[in-house]
């Protein structure tokens, strides 16, 4: 879920632009030029994958994927997510122009966290990778939902009800996103382990 | 509930109907373009002739109408220097975002509609932008009247057997303010972005101080988005041909997980090849540009008009 224009108070909207700018600058510093194509590709894939709707009973939910982006890119994840959200806002109006900073924080911070957690718990085997991937997928979405609720709640008491509802609406997505991330990591581990930062095993 | 400052309307049909009518009209405005876009996706010019396959994304076919498809028209917005245009309209958008009065926000919405009219852009894309926000804003309209705390002097509308749940007019007006502001800014995005080629817009951003790496990534990712949209449509079609139907079960999630993994692998390989090809052709970390920006007096005048208009809105907002 992306925050649209006109929801956040001025101080929060501008403050989150400053914070996102700083985090993105750090991310750029830590990205080597030869990694740029990888960042661009994950950005575009993040953008496109967010259009994928997974059926859930009578309705459907779309994927958020901060966890997967984080575990694929590590420190560069914030730049990628910021860019993806900027493009989503500019091209399709998913998220408002004045809320790009806030939306980037909402998705980018969980991505950084997921990247860190993934590197700590992934271990060496396929099973431990899958478990770590599923954990990071759920964690990323959960943190994004909590940050969304916090950002909405900065609007004052009138927004408290919306914040709670937004949090509740993301509950099913935690599980779906975790399971899908686990399967995606399992696929990448077997097919293209270098994308997860592993050397391909020679047979 | 017996606060004398509150006006509690119990099933008084007239105001309730009036509010409900406004509510439904606003919701319809947001939902109709979405439906239309959904119906349209079967036809039209496709990306290399494949435009009908949206079963996985469930989205209207975005692959065709790129943001700069209308960049070749002639209008005051098209002839505006991109740097001044970006700075002025983004500044204006921030002014609108922080308005507090519904009337002033409505003036801003009218100005956005006027800007689209002046820029001679087709109405389809601004409406698609409104449709993209429909879910989020619709939730505000539906939820906020019932969840805001009761303010002094508020009007409550209740149905007598269910007095615990009341429709608070203040909450509805707050949600409506958000909807109007968001729509005003969403509609100004079209004159901002669709009136110049995307490369020129990004070049303007770079001249305004955006880091060159960010600008190049914007250009690269923008291109890749449409490539990958095409790719997931192809993959979705081949999945359907092989008998995949998406349902609520673990097998579906596994297929989606592998689908995403495949998308990453394919797109990564493709990007690597493209990057190698770019290096072969002398890419040295910057795209060459073949145009010069040249701001004239009328460019500045337009810039000052929009920024001044934004500031005037803010001033009126505080005075009212």
């Amino acid at each position: 879920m992306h925050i649209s224009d006109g929801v956040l108070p001025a101080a929060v909207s501008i403050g989150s632009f400053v914070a996102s700018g700083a985090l993105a600058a750090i991310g750029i510093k830590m990205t080597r030029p030869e990694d740029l194509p990888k960042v661009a590709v994950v950005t575009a894939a993040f953008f496109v994958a967010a259009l994928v709707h997974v059926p859930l009973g009578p309705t459907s939910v779309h994927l958020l994927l901060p966890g997967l982006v984080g575990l694929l890119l590590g420190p560069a994840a914030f730049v990628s997510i910021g860019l993806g959200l900027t493009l989503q806002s500019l091209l399709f109006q998913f998220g408002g122009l004045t809320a790009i900073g806030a939306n980037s924080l909402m998705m980018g911070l969980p991505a950084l966290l997921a990247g860190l957690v993934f590197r700590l718990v992934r271990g060496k085997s396929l099973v431990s990778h899958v478990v770590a991937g599923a954990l990071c997928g759920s964690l990323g979405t959960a943190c994004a939902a909590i940050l969304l609720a916090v950002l909405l709640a900065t609007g004052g008491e009138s927004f408290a009800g919306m914040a709670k509802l937004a949090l509740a609406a993301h509950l099913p997505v935690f599980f779906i996103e975790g399971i899908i991330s686990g399967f995606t990591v399992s696929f990448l581990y077997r097919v293209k382990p270098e994308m997860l930062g592993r050397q391909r095993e020679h047979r | 509930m017996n606060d004398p400052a509150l006006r509690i309307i119990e099933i008084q049909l007239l105001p309730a109907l009036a509010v409900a009518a406004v509510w439904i009209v606003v919701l319809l405005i947001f939902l109709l373009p979405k439906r239309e876009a959904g119906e349209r996706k079967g036809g039209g010019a496709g990306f290399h002739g494949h435009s009908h396959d949206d079963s996985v994304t469930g989205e209207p076919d975005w692959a065709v109408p790129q943001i700069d498809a209308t960049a070749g028209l002639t209008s005051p917005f098209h002839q505006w220097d991109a740097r001044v245009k970006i700075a002025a309209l983004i500044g204006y958008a921030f002014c609108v975002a922080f308005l507090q009065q519904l009337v002033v926000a409505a003036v801003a919405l009218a100005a956005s509609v006027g800007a689209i009219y002046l820029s001679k852009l087709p109405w389809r894309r601004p409406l698609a932008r409104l449709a993209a926000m429909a879910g989020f804003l619709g939730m505000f309209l539906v939820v906020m009247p019932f969840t805001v705390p009761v303010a002094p002097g508020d009007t409550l509308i209740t149905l007598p057997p269910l007095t615990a749940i009341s429709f608070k007019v203040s909450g509805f007006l707050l949600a409506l303010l958000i909807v109007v502001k968001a729509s005003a800014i969403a509609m100004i995005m079209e004159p901002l972005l669709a009136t110049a080629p995307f490369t020129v817009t990004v070049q303007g951003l770079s001249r305004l101080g955006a880091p060159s790496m960010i600008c190049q990534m914007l250009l690269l990712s923008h291109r890749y988005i449409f490539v990958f949209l095409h790719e997931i449509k192809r993959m979705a079609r081949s999945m359907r041909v092989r008998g995949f139907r998406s349902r609520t079960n673990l097998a579906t999630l596994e297929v989606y997980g592998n689908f995403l993994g495949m998308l990453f692998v394919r797109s990564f390989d493709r990007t690597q090849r493209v990057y190698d090809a770019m290096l072969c052709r002398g890419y040295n970390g910057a795209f060459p540009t073949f145009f010069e920006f040249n701001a004239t007096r009328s460019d500045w005048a337009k810039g000052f008009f929009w920024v001044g208009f934004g500031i005037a809105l803010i001033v009126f907002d505080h005075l009212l």
Side-chain angles (χ1 to χ4, degrees):
Chain A
M1 195 174 315
H2 308 290
I3 300 174
S4 72
D5 290 300
V7 176
L8 298 172
V12 177
S13 173
I14 292 170
S16 46
F17 263 103
V18 174
S20 300
L23 282 168
I26 296 170
I28 292 172
K29 279 259 164 62
M30 294 178 72
T31 311
R32 289 167 302 165
E34 60 266 33
D35 281 340
L36 288 189
K38 187 175 166 186
V39 178
V41 76
V42 176
T43 303
F46 161 69
F47 184 114
V48 171
L51 300 177
V52 173
H53 285 242
V54 178
L56 180 73
T59 173
S60 71
V61 295
H62 80 84
L63 300 173
L64 300 175
L65 300 176
L68 262 185
V69 174
L71 66 87
L72 284 173
L73 291 183
F78 195 91
V79 181
S80 168
I81 283 187
L83 281 169
L85 290 172
T86 305
L87 280 168
Q88 288 195 344
S89 173
L90 297 187
L91 302 183
F92 300 157
Q93 203 64 37
F94 296 149
L97 177 71
T98 58
I100 289 176
N103 281 323
S104 303
L105 279 188
M106 171 179 107
M107 303 278 271
L109 286 179
L112 290 178
L113 179 68
L116 197 66
V117 169
F118 185 71
R119 271 154 188 72
L120 288 178
V121 301
R122 66 177 175 177
K124 294 228 176 334
S125 69
L126 172 64
V127 175
S128 68
H129 265 79
V130 170
V131 171
L135 178 71
C136 291
S138 296
L139 184 75
T141 314
C143 293
I146 292 170
L147 281 174
L148 170 66
V150 169
L151 284 168
L152 285 177
T154 57
E157 220 182 328
S158 308
F159 289 82
M162 277 301 294
K164 283 178 205 150
L165 184 85
L167 200 55
H170 280 85
L171 271 175
V173 191
F174 301 162
F175 297 104
I176 290 178
E177 187 114 5
I179 296 168
I180 288 188
S181 301
F183 281 123
T184 305
V185 169
S186 153
F187 181 88
L188 290 176
Y189 184 94
R190 285 170 289 156
V191 175
K192 204 166 173 65
E194 56 268 40
M195 279 198 83
L196 296 170
R198 284 178 58 82
Q199 294 301 311
R200 187 183 284 272
E201 286 159 28
H202 293 284
R203 271 168 288 182
Chain B
M1 280 304 199
N2 292 326
D3 189 335
L6 289 180
R7 213 149 61 86
I8 299 175
I9 299 173
E10 288 188 347
I11 198 81
Q12 280 197 6
L13 223 53
L14 215 61
L17 277 183
V19 172
V22 176
W23 196 16
I24 289 168
V25 167
V26 173
L27 279 180
L28 277 183
I29 288 173
F30 277 91
L31 293 178
L32 277 183
K34 182 162 237 171
R35 183 124 157 261
E36 234 175 75
E39 281 163 4
R40 205 198 316 275
K41 75 189 173 195
F47 198 113
H48 299 309
H50 310 292
S51 69
H52 48 279
D53 197 346
D54 286 311
S55 59
V56 166
T57 64
E59 291 288 322
D61 186 0
W62 290 105
V64 188
Q66 296 194 12
I67 186 74
D68 49 9
T70 48
L73 301 174
T74 309
S75 80
F77 282 92
H78 289 82
Q79 288 155 351
W80 195 357
D81 185 281
R83 295 167 302 169
V84 186
K85 178 168 67 182
I86 293 165
L89 287 185
I90 288 182
Y92 170 72
F94 270 94
C95 291
V96 173
F98 305 140
L99 296 177
Q100 301 291 329
Q101 308 282 346
L102 190 55
V103 185
V104 185
V107 173
L109 181 58
S112 299
V113 171
I116 295 177
Y117 178 75
L118 276 181
S119 64
K120 297 181 190 159
L121 296 169
W123 289 93
R124 195 172 50 77
R125 284 190 52 95
L127 290 179
R129 282 182 183 274
L130 293 187
M133 302 189 298
F136 187 77
L137 294 178
M139 210 171 67
F140 275 86
L141 281 177
V142 172
V143 172
M144 280 194 100
F146 299 102
T147 60
V148 294
V150 180
D154 201 350
T155 304
L156 309 187
I157 300 167
T158 56
L159 287 167
L162 298 163
T163 43
I165 305 167
S166 57
F167 184 100
K168 300 166 192 78
V169 172
S170 67
F172 176 69
L173 291 179
L174 183 59
L176 196 61
L177 171 70
I178 289 172
V179 170
V180 171
K181 286 196 290 184
S183 308
I185 297 176
M187 294 184 99
I188 207 74
M189 298 288 275
E190 282 299 311
L192 169 62
L193 295 166
T195 54
F198 192 66
T199 47
V200 174
T201 305
V202 173
Q203 187 68 28
L205 265 180
S206 146
R207 293 293 186 81
L208 287 170
S212 79
M213 177 219 164
I214 295 283
C215 295
Q216 295 200 33
M217 300 282 291
L218 271 180
L219 287 174
L220 282 177
S221 309
H222 175 250
R223 180 69 197 101
Y224 282 132
I225 283 166
F226 296 99
V227 175
F228 295 172
L229 275 174
H230 186 48
E231 184 93 36
I232 62 169
K233 284 179 184 174
R234 266 182 36 192
M235 285 163 67
R237 189 160 49 239
S238 62
M239 275 155 68
R240 272 226 316 269
V241 168
R242 288 168 175 79
F244 171 71
R245 297 289 179 271
S246 74
R247 297 194 179 85
T248 309
N249 57 21
L250 194 64
T252 300
L253 293 186
E254 178 173 5
V255 170
Y256 274 111
N258 292 340
F259 175 83
L260 282 185
M262 198 63 214
L263 175 67
F264 281 122
V265 169
R266 283 190 181 194
S267 43
F268 187 66
D269 285 346
R270 183 197 290 256
T271 324
Q272 206 61 50
R273 288 198 303 274
V274 171
Y275 187 66
D276 291 344
M278 279 162 61
L279 288 179
C280 287
R281 286 160 179 78
Y283 175 71
N284 59 357
F287 294 124
T289 51
F290 300 102
F291 54 86
E292 275 301 313
F293 287 113
N294 189 13
T296 63
R297 201 171 290 167
S298 77
D299 290 327
W300 289 109
K302 288 175 202 164
F304 281 121
F305 169 76
W306 280 99
V307 173
F309 184 54
I311 293 172
L313 286 178
I314 293 266
V315 170
F316 272 111
D317 194 53
H318 281 278
L319 289 181
L320 274 179

